[in-house]
Structures are given as structure tokens and as C-alpha cells.
């Protein structure tokens, strides 16, 4: 897992594409091979960041191999509609809620409770149909 970008304190980690010069070969340098590798690295990143302040962690995934990290994150975002991920998640009591609908409801509850209610391992995963929704969520704009 390597840092591929940073935007106003936003650290993004992922496997990376291999390049020859400035052109991608199409191969992926896999730093994370298994769901347990991902979960260990994500927990490590969270603990490193957690020591510097209180920040929300966000994990974006699309398959059952991402389930552990999605649930570990304060905000777990599922891209697409993996039936396997949804089936396994539901077996363990995970709820799947559309991202923007869910966030509006959370915001209403925060205003009433006056404290953050985003918590890791809440059992709620947010769903989006495309990366443009993730981009809109992160940047606060609609780029679809």
C-alpha cells in the first residue's frame, strides 16, 4: 500500500499501477494480497493518524475482500453492487445504506445530539453506484 495522493490532509492509500516512463503497463504492484493484509495495514494507518488528533477514517471498497476494512472504518463506502459482499454482510447484521441519504440522516442526528455519531464497527456501510459519488462526497461537489 502506498500513498498516491494527498489533498488538504486527505491521505489515500492503495495498490499502485506499474509505469514505464510516464505510461502505465497495466500491471498492478500489489502491496496487499489478502483481506487480512488490508485489515492490518488499515488498522496501522488508523493508529498512526489517531495519535495526531481525531479524524474520521474512510475506506472505499467493492468486494467481500474489503469487508473487514469497510467495517473498521468510521465511514465504509461500497462502490457498485457486489452480491457476494452484500450477502456476507447481511449474514453478520450489516446494513447497506445509500451514501447521501445516510449522511443526511446522520447530519440531522448530529444536530440533535451535538456530537459525532460516526463510529467504526457500527455495522452500517454506505453504498454508491460510481466513483463520481465518492468524489462528490470527498470534495463536496457534484461531478457526475
Amino acid at each position: 500500500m502506498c500513498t498516491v495522493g494527498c489533498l488538504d490532509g486527505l491521505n489515500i492509500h492503495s495498490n499502485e499501477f506499474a509505469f514505464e516512463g510516464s505510461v502505465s503497463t497495466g500491471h498492478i504492484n500489489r502491496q496487499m494480497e489478502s483481506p487480512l493484509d488490508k485489515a492490518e495495514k488499515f488498522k496501522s494507518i488508523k493508529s498512526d493518524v489517531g495519535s495526531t488528533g481525531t479524524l474520521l477514517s474512510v475506506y472505499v471498497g467493492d468486494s467481500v475482500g474489503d469487508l473487514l476494512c469497510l467495517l473498521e472504518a468510521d465511514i465504509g463506502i461500497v462502490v457498485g453492487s457486489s452480491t457476494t459482499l452484500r450477502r456476507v454482510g447481511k449474514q453478520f447484521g450489516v446494513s447497506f445504506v445509500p451514501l447521501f441519504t445516510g449522511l443526511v440522516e446522520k447530519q440531522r442526528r448530529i444536530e440533535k445530539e451535538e456530537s459525532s455519531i460516526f463510529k467504526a464497527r457500527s455495522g452500517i456501510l454506505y453504498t454508491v453506484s460510481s466513483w463520481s459519488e465518492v468524489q462528490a462526497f470527498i470534495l463536496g461537489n457534484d461531478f457526475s
Side-chain angles (χ1 to χ4, degrees):
M1 233 176 201
C2 70
T3 302
V4 295
C6 185
L7 177 65
D8 294 332
L10 176 69
N11 291 310
I12 301 170
H13 300 265
S14 69
N15 288 324
E16 65 182 44
F17 288 107
F19 285 86
E20 288 181 8
S22 61
V23 178
S24 172
T25 64
H27 291 94
I28 298 175
N29 293 327
R30 296 191 184 273
Q31 306 294 319
M32 301 289 102
E33 292 292 334
S34 75
L36 293 176
D37 290 341
K38 290 179 185 182
E40 286 177 25
K41 183 64 176 178
F42 188 65
K43 285 180 184 181
S44 172
I45 292 167
K46 279 184 62 173
S47 70
D48 289 347
V49 172
S51 64
T52 62
T54 56
L55 300 173
L56 287 175
S57 63
V58 177
Y59 189 92
V60 181
D62 66 353
S63 69
V64 74
D66 295 314
L67 187 57
L68 294 173
C69 292
L70 287 163
L71 292 170
E72 179 69 29
D74 296 312
I75 302 172
I77 301 175
V78 177
V79 178
S81 58
S82 167
T83 55
T84 304
L85 171 60
R86 288 174 183 264
R87 188 174 60 241
V88 171
K90 286 182 180 180
Q91 284 288 327
F92 291 96
V94 174
S95 299
F96 294 87
V97 177
L99 178 65
F100 292 110
T101 306
L103 292 179
V104 167
E105 179 58 31
K106 287 264 188 194
Q107 185 62 38
R108 287 184 182 139
R109 289 176 50 200
I110 288 172
E111 289 171 3
K112 290 178 184 174
E113 298 173 15
E114 297 182 20
S115 66
S116 178
I117 55 175
F118 288 106
K119 300 199 183 330
R121 297 184 211 108
S122 68
I124 298 172
L125 296 180
Y126 297 96
T127 61
V128 296
S129 59
S130 69
W131 278 96
S132 62
E133 289 181 66
V134 175
Q135 183 179 16
F137 165 68
I138 292 171
L139 298 176
N141 297 314
D142 184 7
F143 292 96
S144 52

